[in-house]
Amino acid sequence: MEPPVKGVNIAPGWKPDTWTGRETLQQPTYPDQAALHSVLDRLSTLPPLVTSWEILNLREQIADAQAGKRFVLQGGDCAESFNECSSPLITNRLKVLLQMSLVLVHGMEKPVVRIGRFAGQYAKPRSSDTETRGDVTLPSYRGDLVNSVEFTEEARIPNPQRLIEGHACSSLTMNFVRALVDGGFADLHHPEYWNLSWVEHSPLAEEFQRLADNIGQSVRFMETISGRKPGSVKRVDFFTSHEALHLHYEQALTRQVPRQWGWFNLSTHFPWIGMRTAALDGGHVEFFRGIRNPIGIKVGPGMTREWLADLLAVLNPEREAGRIVLIHRMGEQKIEEHLPKLISTVKDTGSPVLWVCDPMHGNTESTQSGVKTRRFRKIMNEVDLAFDIHASQGSRLGGVHLELTGEDVTECTGGARDLSDEDLGRAYKTMVDPRLNYEQSLELAMLIVRKHNQVTP
Ligand code: PEP
Ligand code: CO
């Protein structure tokens, strides 16, 4: 393919606002449109959160992962909140992701692409527009970008000022993550910096410590034999991602940049389309069609062959490597029925994709007392099945997408400590979906390595 000429928009008929001509689901209704538009004008002049070269770098890394040369670890909160935009929470989440990635790198012997579900994961799709408690019905909470979680009329009114606050919290998070990563926090010589104080006595922490010591030695050995300056093997990359749900917000951060053609969504490196908003003729698909970022598409049990083939044709017409990540979230009960046909459909299209398993969203259930939870055994089982199904179809599972936190929460049951339904009451903090805690996350990473190495020749 000829490289597109600078300044040329490759998506015919596309502009950052053409999505407004399509039916667009899951958007808030703002009572004051004038206030919304004045906020959007302001937002569109504020600096972006990421750069085009970082986005293009991630695209290359995803292309490598499509070729089996890297594995993707994507994880973070279901929903970030403005109140939790704080130093310990950000650091702990980074620590867990770093530790997991090290387990994966060490066990799989390939580089890991680290993508946080953070610095912008502030808008949530909801199954109902309203929430009823007793005899009071109010608009649903749609994420901190839109309204507030408290169950009062005032709190639930969509407030456009929150878009500015969302941008600010995202950039505070980004700034801190960048500073930590650049400043030696992610230094491979000192994985002990990544330890979380409250898990010192966990058997998994001991296992991780042995592995970290091993890595520290290997890094020093590599520096010695390559003649590189001690300390030069340091940096790890971190990318950001969120569900690009609120299209006015995403549009305001979609820009053209000097010396590049086309448009970039500079609110995040890796935006994804949620399962509820992937209609072929809907606003989200229209918006995503014109941006140059690598993009994720969540695919659930309702996805059909035709729908998926059409999405790939619209979103990656030139069949470029590094552009599309399909994040399947079927549930352990349904993956065997639904995934194989989608794999064969993608093969037929000849379009390169990276397959990533989200074992969280198809395995949500309620306990007898009505608490939303997920069982570790089912999460693991879906990952196992995903590896097996891809391998048996001559395809490859190239990553995982997880909801997790570095905090000592009890939201998912099971795992090494075998948390029970009763334990959920102890530290249940999530505002939306239940997340894996630190130990469950690390255990999952270890199990993923074992499974990956079983199916990889
Ligand atoms: C999510 O990732 O939090 C989410 C809502 O996922 P899905 O669109 O797959 O349901
Ligand atoms: Co979720």
Side-chain angles (χ1 to χ4, degrees), residues 139-423:
S140 293
Y141 170 62
R142 292 189 166 275
D144 275 13
L145 197 61
V146 174
N147 55 7
S148 178
V149 72
E150 291 87 59
F151 194 72
T152 66
E153 203 167 333
E154 174 74 15
R156 292 296 173 91
I157 298 171
N159 176 357
Q161 281 305 327
R162 288 180 160 269
L163 299 171
I164 301 287
E165 201 174 345
H167 176 273
C169 288
S170 301
S171 74
L172 291 169
T173 305
M174 268 312 322
N175 181 55
F176 190 44
V177 168
R178 288 185 196 283
L180 286 173
V181 168
D182 282 343
F185 175 83
D187 185 344
L188 292 168
H189 299 79
H190 296 289
E192 68 275 11
Y193 293 176
W194 315 345
N195 282 346
L196 291 150
S197 53
W198 53 266
V199 286
E200 258 168 25
H201 305 297
S202 156
L204 283 179
E206 275 172 36
E207 192 173 337
F208 175 75
Q209 199 51 54
R210 275 196 299 278
L211 189 147
D213 292 344
N214 242 321
I215 290 174
Q217 277 171 17
S218 312
V219 169
R220 281 184 285 276
F221 177 69
M222 233 167 68
E223 283 170 348
T224 311
I225 59 165
S226 67
R228 286 205 231 165
K229 198 162 112 255
S232 63
V233 185
K234 243 188 184 168
R235 255 204 71 109
V236 302
D237 282 334
F238 245 102
F239 297 99
T240 65
S241 68
H242 65 251
E243 177 173 352
L245 182 69
H246 191 303
L247 290 187
H248 278 302
Y249 176 83
E250 304 298 331
Q251 182 193 323
L253 288 156
T254 294
R255 316 268 171 91
Q256 285 180 300
V257 299
R259 288 178 294 282
Q260 278 292 347
W261 56 273
W263 295 78
F264 292 85
N265 180 352
L266 300 177
S267 79
T268 188
H269 300 115
F270 179 56
W272 78 82
I273 307 182
M275 193 191 65
R276 292 162 190 79
T277 48
L280 192 63
D281 55 0
H284 290 84
V285 170
E286 172 58 17
F287 173 75
F288 273 74
R289 181 170 77 89
I291 55 174
R292 287 188 63 196
N293 305 56
I295 61 178
I297 310 170
K298 290 282 203 103
V299 295
M303 181 57 64
T304 62
R305 284 173 175 277
E306 299 70 32
W307 184 3
L308 184 55
D310 288 345
L311 283 172
L312 294 179
V314 169
L315 293 169
N316 193 16
E318 303 294 337
R319 297 184 199 156
E320 292 170 46
R323 162 75 168 164
I324 303 274
V325 178
L326 293 178
I327 306 166
H328 51 75
R329 32 88 79 226
M330 299 294 178
E332 53 122 30
Q333 292 292 322
K334 296 192 176 160
I335 187 168
E336 286 168 292
E337 181 189 345
H338 295 282
L339 184 57
K341 65 171 188 279
L342 300 182
I343 296 175
S344 80
T345 301
V346 170
K347 276 210 180 125
D348 293 346
T349 66
S351 201
V353 308
L354 180 72
W355 289 103
V356 165
C357 176
D358 164 359
M360 314 299 294
H361 287 90
N363 294 313
T364 315
E365 58 186 90
S366 284
T367 63
Q368 285 199 327
S369 48
V371 182
K372 216 184 192 193
T373 191
R374 290 163 172 156
R375 310 210 178 269
F376 187 85
R377 183 180 48 75
K378 295 190 178 182
I379 294 170
M380 190 55 226
N381 195 32
E382 182 161 354
V383 175
D384 270 353
L385 288 167
F387 271 112
D388 286 336
I389 295 166
H390 281 287
S392 72
Q393 300 242 355
S395 169
R396 183 186 299 109
L397 185 67
V400 288
H401 176 119
L402 305 168
E403 287 185 343
L404 52 81
T405 169
E407 305 310 298
D408 185 13
V409 299
T410 54
E411 297 171 5
C412 295
T413 58
R417 273 180 206 245
D418 200 19
L419 295 181
S420 67
D421 286 4
E422 287 68 54
D423 290 318

Side-chain angles (χ1 to χ4, degrees), residues 78 117 124 361 374 403 433:
C78 180
R117 260 181 85 113
K124 295 307 295 174
H361 287 90
R374 290 163 172 156
E403 287 185 343
D433 288 338

